[in-house]
Amino acid sequence: MDLIEKVQNAVISAGSSYSEDRLAAYENALKLEKELNNENAVWALEQMIENFKVAKEKKLPLCDDTGIPHVLIEIGKEREIPKGFFNDINVGIAQGLDNLPGRPMAVKGNDMERIEQSQGLYKESNMMKPASFLIEEKDESTYGRLIGVDDDKIKITILLEGGGPEIRAKTYRVFHKRDSSIVFNEALNWLKESLAMLGCTPSIPAIGVGRTHFEANALMLRAMAHGNLNVQSDVEKYISEELNKTDIGPLGLGGKTTALGSFVNIGSQRASGVRIVAVRPACFVEPRVCRFEY
C-alpha cells in the first residue's frame, strides 16, 4: 500500500472510529451512571456509544464537524524522508476528506476575505488543508507512553481537530511559584469554565506544559496523539477526578462523567517563574486519531 492510500485510510479511520480504551471508558461510565440512577447521563452515554458503533461499522463521520487535519511525523534515526513524501501526505488527506466524507468548511478568498468569510465556502471537502506538520526525530523521552517507532520507519499520526474545543481552548502563562499544583489547578479552573460551556461532554482534556506557546501546543498535540486511558499518570487521574466533581456530566445534563480521563504532556522547562500551559477541552468524539508506520 502506498503512502497516499495509507494517509487516506488514516483520515477515514480517525474520523469514523474510536480506540478500544475509549470505548471501554464509555462502557464503564455508563455502568457508573446506571448505578447512580442518573437517567439523563445514562441516556446521553447510550446515544454516544451507539453513535460510535454505527460510525465504525458504516465508515461514517463520528461528528458533523469532521475537523481540521493535523499531522505528526516521527522519523526513525536511520530513516530518510523519501522524494514526494509531503506531497503524498497532502494528496492522501484530500482523498481521505473526500471519502470520509468531510464537511465542506474551507473558506474562499484572499487574506481579508477569508477572515471575513465574505466569499463563502468551497463545496469540496478536500479544500480543507491541514495545519502545518509537526516533525520530530524518534525520541521516547518526549512522551512517556510514546508508541516506539523503529529506527528505519516513519510513524505518521493523523488528528482531526473540531472547532468547538478549539474555540474554548487556552494557551497562557502560569506563575508556578515552584509548586506544580499551582500550574495544574490553574489549568483545572480553565477546564471547569470551558467544559461547562462546551456542551458535548464527556471530555478527554489535553494539557501541554512547555517554555513557549508553540512548544506547549506541540506537547498538547502529542498528548492527544499518544495518550491512553488505560495508562494514566497521577496528575492525569487528578485532573479527571476533579473535573468529575463538577457534575457537568454528559452533554451538560449532570452526572459523574464530565471527563473520561486526561492526557498531560510535560516538556523541557526554562529558568523562569512562568510556565506556558496549553489546555484543550476535547469534545466527546475526540481525540480523533489514527497512527501508522511507513
Side-chain angles (χ1 to χ4, degrees):
M1 187 183 301
D2 65 13
L3 180 57
I4 293 174
E5 187 174 359
K6 285 192 172 192
V7 172
Q8 171 189 278
N9 292 345
V11 171
I12 295 170
S13 179
S16 63
S17 61
Y18 222 48
S19 62
E20 291 302 319
D21 63 309
R22 290 166 213 172
L23 281 173
Y26 271 94
E27 296 285 359
N28 291 334
L30 177 59
K31 181 180 178 181
L32 172 64
E33 299 293 2
K34 283 182 175 179
E35 291 173 352
L36 297 172
N37 294 316
N38 290 332
E39 294 183 2
N40 289 339
V42 168
W43 173 82
L45 290 168
E46 286 177 339
Q47 301 307 307
M48 292 172 191
I49 292 169
E50 180 66 16
N51 179 65
F52 299 148
K53 291 180 178 178
V54 171
K56 183 175 182 179
E57 178 183 351
K58 298 185 179 295
K59 291 284 190 269
L60 294 172
L62 287 161
C63 178
D64 178 59
D65 181 352
T66 46
I68 299 167
H70 287 61
V71 182
L72 289 75
I73 300 169
E74 300 157 65
I75 303 173
K77 297 182 185 298
E78 304 302 323
R79 187 71 158 94
E80 293 184 355
I81 296 176
K83 183 179 180 180
F85 178 76
F86 298 108
N87 180 70
D88 286 353
I89 291 177
N90 281 308
V91 171
I93 287 172
Q95 292 184 3
L97 290 173
D98 279 341
N99 293 317
L100 180 57
R103 188 174 86 189
M105 293 186 287
V107 179
K108 293 181 177 179
N110 61 31
D111 291 351
M112 295 303 108
E113 290 167 344
R114 292 198 304 276
I115 290 175
E116 297 167 356
Q117 203 168 312
S118 59
Q119 299 302 310
L121 307 179
Y122 290 100
K123 295 180 180 179
E124 300 85 3
S125 301
N126 61 34
M127 292 304 293
M128 175 59 69
K129 305 304 181 185
S132 299
F133 298 176
L134 181 61
I135 306 170
E136 298 175 298
E137 189 177 47
K138 171 188 174 181
D139 181 5
E140 285 83 351
S141 67
T142 58
Y143 193 71
R145 283 147 293 171
L146 182 64
I147 298 175
V149 54
D150 293 339
D151 284 343
D152 62 345
K153 299 287 187 181
I154 299 174
K155 185 176 287 293
I156 299 173
T157 302
I158 304 293
L159 278 168
L160 299 177
E161 303 283 80
E166 292 299 330
I167 291 168
R168 293 166 181 84
K170 185 171 184 175
T171 306
Y172 198 54
R173 56 101 179 106
V174 175
F175 293 105
H176 60 83
K177 298 181 181 179
R178 299 184 183 271
D179 185 346
S180 60
S181 67
I182 292 175
V183 174
F184 290 107
N185 284 329
E186 184 73 13
L188 264 171
N189 289 335
W190 300 345
L191 284 167
K192 289 174 182 177
E193 180 181 358
S194 62
L195 289 176
M197 298 185 293
L198 182 63
C200 41
T201 45
S203 175
I204 306 172
I207 299 173
V209 185
R211 297 165 294 185
T212 66
H213 290 262
F214 170 81
E215 185 177 46
N217 278 279
L219 290 161
M220 183 183 68
L221 284 172
R222 286 205 299 269
M224 286 188 283
H226 303 298
N228 188 328
L229 292 176
N230 293 332
V231 186
Q232 293 277 279
S233 68
D234 288 343
V235 71
E236 288 169 332
K237 291 176 184 177
Y238 172 71
I239 295 291
S240 54
E241 287 168 0
E242 291 299 308
L243 291 174
N244 286 332
K245 293 176 182 178
T246 63
D247 289 324
I248 295 169
L251 299 183
L253 297 174
K256 296 300 180 184
T257 314
T258 301
L260 295 173
S262 66
F263 298 147
V264 177
N265 196 0
I266 302 167
S268 300
Q269 304 299 318
R270 68 185 291 264
S272 169
V274 168
R275 301 293 173 242
I276 306 299
V277 182
V279 174
R280 188 175 189 276
C283 66
F284 71 81
V285 299
E286 295 190 352
R288 286 173 287 181
V289 58
C290 183
R291 290 183 295 269
F292 66 90
E293 282 192 346
Y294 175 68

